[in-house]
Amino acid sequence: MSLILFYIKKTVGMMLMPIPLTLLIMCLSFLLMRKRPKPAKFFLFCGILLLGLTSWNPMADRLISTVEKDMYIFDIKNPVDVVIVLGSGHKDLNNTPAVMKLGSSALFRLEEGLRILSANPNATLFVSGYSGGMSESHAIVMRNASIELGVSSNKIRTFPLAKDTQEEAKSMAPYLKGKRVALVTEASHLKRATIFFKQAGIDTIPAPAMYLGSDTSDWQINANASYKSERAFYEWLGRTWQWIKG
C-alpha cells in the first residue's frame, strides 16, 4: 500500500508542476470553448500567463528564493562524524564511469559531500537512493562514483532501498544517534530534509550543495527559469504534504 501511495504522490506532484499544470489548464479551456467560451478564454489566458511567468527569470528567481533563503554554505571548521549525501538521479549507462552516470544535482551534492569529508578524514559517508527501475540503485552509483573520486570503500555506507527523503531519514536514523551529522542536498530541498531527520530524532547541520537562484536575474524567458520554478513548486508541495502528515 505504501508503494501505491508513493507513486500516487509522485504522479499528482508531477501534474502540479508548472508545465503539466499549464497543459491541464489549456486542455480545460479547449474543452469549454464551444459551450462556455468566456470561462474557456479566461482559463486559456491563465495558462499562458502561468507558463510565461514561470519561464521568466526574474519571476523564477523570486520563486526559488522562497525555498533557498537562510541556507548558508557549510563551514568545514565544523567537525562531523557522518556526511549524508541524499539521493538524486542518474542515467542507466553501460561501460561508463559511475561519476559520468550522475545527474547534475547528484554531482553537486557529491562534490559538496566530498569537500566536507576531506576536512573530516575520520567521518563516514552515507549515500542513498533506490533503483527506480534502473539496473543499479542510485546509492550504489553514488558509492562507486565516490570510490572513483578517491574515497575508501570502507568509509561508505549505502542505503539503496530508500525511495524518498522521509525513508532516507528513517533508514539512517539508527546509525546516527549521538553523531555530528552534515546533511547535503540542494539548498531548495534542505529545509524539508532537515525536518524529516528531526522527526526521526536526528539533528543535522545543513550543507547546501547547489543554489539555483540569482541576485542578478536577466530578463530572458527560457527552460532554465522554468526549472527553477518547477523546483520551487515541488518544494512547496512537499512542505505542504509534510505539514499535513505532521
Side-chain angles (χ1 to χ4, degrees):
M1 187 65 182
S2 60
L3 186 62
I4 295 173
L5 181 61
F6 170 77
Y7 284 112
I8 290 174
K9 181 179 70 173
K10 288 294 182 183
T11 301
V12 171
M14 178 189 69
M15 296 309 296
L16 292 177
M17 294 300 101
I19 292 177
L21 185 58
T22 297
L23 292 174
L24 285 174
I25 293 172
M26 288 183 169
C27 286
L28 177 61
S29 70
F30 289 131
L31 289 173
L32 293 174
M33 193 64 74
R34 296 187 68 180
K35 293 185 177 180
R36 299 286 184 87
K38 287 186 178 180
K41 290 176 182 178
F42 173 75
F43 282 123
L44 183 59
F45 171 77
C46 288
I48 294 171
L49 184 64
L50 175 64
L51 182 61
L53 288 177
T54 55
S55 302
W56 184 45
N57 268 300
M59 179 58 70
D61 281 327
R62 288 196 175 191
L63 295 177
I64 196 66
S65 70
T66 63
V67 290
E68 286 189 341
K69 64 182 180 180
D70 301 327
M71 292 298 164
Y72 305 106
I73 297 297
F74 183 89
D75 184 354
I76 57 173
K77 293 178 182 178
N78 289 327
V80 295
D81 304 304
V82 178
V83 180
I84 298 173
V85 178
L86 294 180
S88 181
H90 69 274
K91 301 166 189 167
D92 208 359
L93 301 174
N94 295 322
N95 303 316
T96 303
V99 72
M100 293 185 182
K101 297 179 183 180
L102 298 177
S104 59
S105 175
L107 281 170
F108 275 101
R109 296 182 191 196
L110 184 59
E111 181 181 9
E112 177 61 9
L114 297 189
R115 183 181 77 92
I116 298 169
L117 192 68
S118 67
N120 296 272
N122 295 321
T124 303
L125 177 66
F126 283 16
V127 291
S128 61
Y130 79 128
S131 63
M134 297 190 181
S135 60
E136 295 178 295
S137 71
H138 185 67
I140 296 301
V141 176
M142 290 286 275
R143 177 184 184 275
N144 293 339
S146 301
I147 293 171
E148 289 172 0
L149 294 172
V151 180
S152 175
S153 60
N154 60 15
K155 294 180 63 175
I156 308 171
R157 182 183 288 272
T158 59
F159 296 83
L161 301 179
K163 297 186 293 296
D164 58 22
T165 311
Q166 186 174 25
E167 290 189 7
E168 288 172 322
K170 287 181 178 179
S171 61
M172 292 179 186
Y175 306 95
L176 299 174
K177 303 297 184 182
K179 304 286 187 182
R180 294 166 298 186
V181 182
L183 181 61
V184 182
T185 185
E186 293 180 40
S188 61
H189 180 225
L190 257 177
K191 179 66 175 179
R192 189 159 58 96
T194 54
I195 291 173
F196 278 129
F197 276 85
K198 185 73 174 178
Q199 290 173 343
I202 304 299
D203 290 321
T204 58
I205 306 171
M210 182 180 179
Y211 293 91
L212 294 175
S214 173
D215 294 330
T216 54
S217 303
D218 60 47
W219 285 62
Q220 294 184 42
I221 292 176
N222 54 34
N224 184 52
S226 181
Y227 177 69
K228 295 178 193 178
S229 298
E230 180 182 304
R231 285 298 310 166
F233 275 50
Y234 186 86
E235 286 304 317
W236 293 342
L237 288 170
R239 291 187 191 182
T240 300
W241 178 248
Q242 189 179 54
W243 178 77
I244 289 171
K245 292 186 71 177

